[in-house]
Amino acid sequence: MARAQAKQPKRKKPWKWALLGVSLVILAVVGYFVYQAYGVYNGLDSLSKPTTDPKFTNYEVKTAEKPPEWEGKERVNILIMGGDNRGLQENEKARSDSMMVVSVDPVKKDIHLFSVLRDTYVDIQDHGSDRINTAFAVGGPDLAMQTIGDVLGLDIQYYVYTDFEGFKSVIDAIGGIQNFDVEKDMNYVDNADGNRYDIHLKKGVQDLDGTKALQYVRFRHDALSDFTRTERQRKLLGAVADKMKSGWSLLKMKDIVDSVQGYIKTNIGVDDMIKLGQLGVSSHIAGQAQVPPMDLISGEKVGGASVLAISDEDKVLQFVQDELQKDSTVAPPADADAQGANGASGAVTNSSDGKTGGSGDTANGSND
């Protein structure tokens, strides 16, 4: 009987090794992205968790009934507040240095920005009349949302609060803002904070990191003060939105979330953050405005200090509703274009004769 030949072990074919290698790479990549996603989710979740920070606690204020919860299909309004925490003593409350309402329509996929002038003199529940930025200091974010919502006639469901350092961190985390047009030289020295937040910007197109972006949105030492500052804030926020939409990725998102830990507080739950983020990417900025508008402001003195009184509250409410119906990205009808061209031609003619109206005054003022 012939001896059976010893069986040689079968060699795995090269393509099987290649397939195994590719599978391991895919598994590693998927695992990494799962890890990143988990980090993003936990990071976002921490922004809305309860805090012991005195800016958000220990308020004895009776707010009105809260607006209905956002279900994803109706308009949602978010109050963004920038706070100045410099020089605060322990347990001292900060006022909101800047306030902007972002109003999003999920159906039309449009976004409207409303800057709220911080010196607007309004009624604050249980605290009498005061500047609108005082609402945050005396009643926290809930009272700020309620007070600003009453002025605009909008239900404000959410807020986002950050300070100077948080703002800088966000801008740096997205890689700064490229090719941004700074419309004038801006210089201001503040010795009160050890010159940490001095402002020195040159006119012209340039790249802005977090420090320069903060200088840009804070500058108000020109003829129109807070009026032009709020306009600059909306301009920069638009640039940030464009940057996020064009270069968003999970990796960048995790870097952003990690960078703002400890600087940002919000009441937006993580699930709604994700929905709002997706909505933001697919939406466009349809309009932006200042509230109250210039023609509805009357300057007054209260206790020797200047404040901005609203001359007609009902007209402010109507102004906001009218703005929400506009879309600056939609081209006007042809006949409107012709009329606009004729008007512009007339304006140029008047300007050459030295008879420029209010727009010329504004331009001159902004160059002071």
Side-chain angles (χ1 to χ4, degrees):
M1 184 176 177
R3 180 183 294 179
Q5 293 184 346
K7 291 185 178 180
Q8 296 294 326
K10 291 184 179 180
R11 287 188 176 182
K12 290 188 177 181
K13 295 181 180 180
W15 66 268
K16 289 186 177 180
W17 284 108
L19 181 60
L20 178 60
V22 170
S23 299
L24 290 175
V25 170
I26 292 175
L27 183 62
V29 171
V30 171
Y32 180 69
F33 271 88
V34 169
Y35 166 76
Q36 295 287 328
Y38 180 76
V40 169
Y41 190 94
N42 282 345
L44 292 174
D45 188 45
S46 68
L47 299 180
S48 59
K49 285 185 176 179
T51 178
T52 58
D53 189 324
K55 291 190 296 296
F56 304 95
T57 57
N58 303 324
Y59 291 104
E60 295 182 2
V61 57
K62 298 176 182 178
T63 55
E65 183 178 349
K66 291 186 177 181
E69 291 187 9
W70 182 54
E71 296 182 354
K73 295 182 180 180
E74 68 279 15
R75 179 176 295 280
V76 59
N77 301 299
I78 306 159
L79 171 60
I80 299 178
M81 295 179 288
D84 185 353
N85 299 333
R86 295 174 298 168
L88 292 182
Q89 303 299 319
E90 186 176 358
N91 295 325
E92 191 174 359
K93 311 293 187 182
R95 294 190 181 193
S96 46
D97 188 57
S98 59
M99 296 156 289
M100 186 182 300
V101 174
V102 180
S103 185
V104 186
D105 188 328
V107 177
K108 293 196 275 185
K109 299 293 178 64
D110 64 23
I111 301 172
H112 284 80
L113 308 178
F114 295 98
S115 296
V116 182
L117 294 173
R118 65 179 187 172
D119 289 332
T120 306
Y121 199 66
V122 298
D123 291 330
I124 301 175
Q125 181 176 304
D126 297 330
H127 294 278
S129 297
D130 208 332
R131 290 179 175 85
I132 199 167
N133 67 330
T134 307
F136 178 77
V138 300
D142 286 341
L143 188 58
M145 288 189 292
Q146 176 186 319
T147 303
I148 294 173
D150 288 344
V151 172
L152 273 65
L154 298 175
D155 288 333
I156 299 180
Q157 294 91 344
Y158 300 120
Y159 77 88
V160 177
Y161 176 93
T162 187
D163 59 13
F164 290 174
E165 293 303 313
F167 178 87
K168 289 166 56 178
S169 296
V170 169
I171 300 300
D172 286 336
I174 65 174
I177 303 298
Q178 284 70 46
N179 301 317
F180 189 87
D181 186 16
V182 176
E183 65 274 11
K184 60 184 291 183
D185 289 342
M186 300 178 186
N187 290 286
Y188 179 70
V189 175
D190 187 356
N191 296 322
D193 54 19
N195 303 103
R196 182 179 182 182
Y197 296 107
D198 286 355
I199 299 173
H200 297 294
L201 286 176
K202 290 291 185 181
K203 176 182 177 180
V205 177
Q206 57 195 282
D207 295 343
L208 301 183
D209 60 7
T211 298
K212 289 183 178 180
L214 179 64
Q215 292 179 24
Y216 181 78
V217 298
R218 287 188 59 229
F219 185 76
R220 64 185 182 94
H221 302 278
D222 50 19
L224 294 180
S225 187
D226 210 35
F227 299 100
T228 48
R229 184 177 74 153
T230 57
E231 183 177 344
R232 284 191 283 269
Q233 291 170 352
R234 295 192 302 271
K235 176 182 173 182
L236 187 82
L237 184 60
V240 170
D242 290 341
K243 179 71 178 284
M244 293 287 287
K245 288 168 68 173
S246 63
W248 187 92
S249 74
L250 184 60
L251 299 181
K252 288 185 180 180
M253 193 63 190
K254 187 174 187 306
D255 290 340
I256 294 170
V257 173
D258 289 344
S259 70
V260 301
Q261 292 296 323
Y263 294 124
I264 289 181
K265 191 63 186 172
T266 181
N267 66 336
I268 309 176
V270 63
D271 292 336
D272 282 347
M273 285 187 202
I274 294 173
K275 286 194 294 185
L276 286 168
Q278 294 171 336
L279 184 58
V281 170
S282 62
S283 300
H284 65 281
I285 295 179
Q288 48 180 296
Q290 164 200 295
V291 178
M294 293 288 287
D295 60 343
L296 294 177
I297 293 175
S298 62
E300 294 184 6
K301 290 279 189 180
V302 175
S306 297
V307 297
L308 303 176
I310 297 175
S311 59
D312 192 319
E313 295 178 358
D314 290 336
K315 287 186 178 180
V316 171
L317 298 178
Q318 187 59 53
F319 169 79
V320 171
Q321 291 302 313
D322 290 344
E323 288 296 316
L324 291 175
Q325 302 308 312
K326 297 178 181 178
D327 191 338
S328 60
T329 65
V330 177
D335 57 343
D337 285 339
Q339 293 175 5
N342 292 334
S345 175
V348 172
T349 301
N350 290 338
S351 176
S352 65
D353 293 336
K355 299 177 181 178
T356 306
S359 60
D361 296 337
T362 301
N364 292 334
S366 64
N367 289 327
D368 288 343

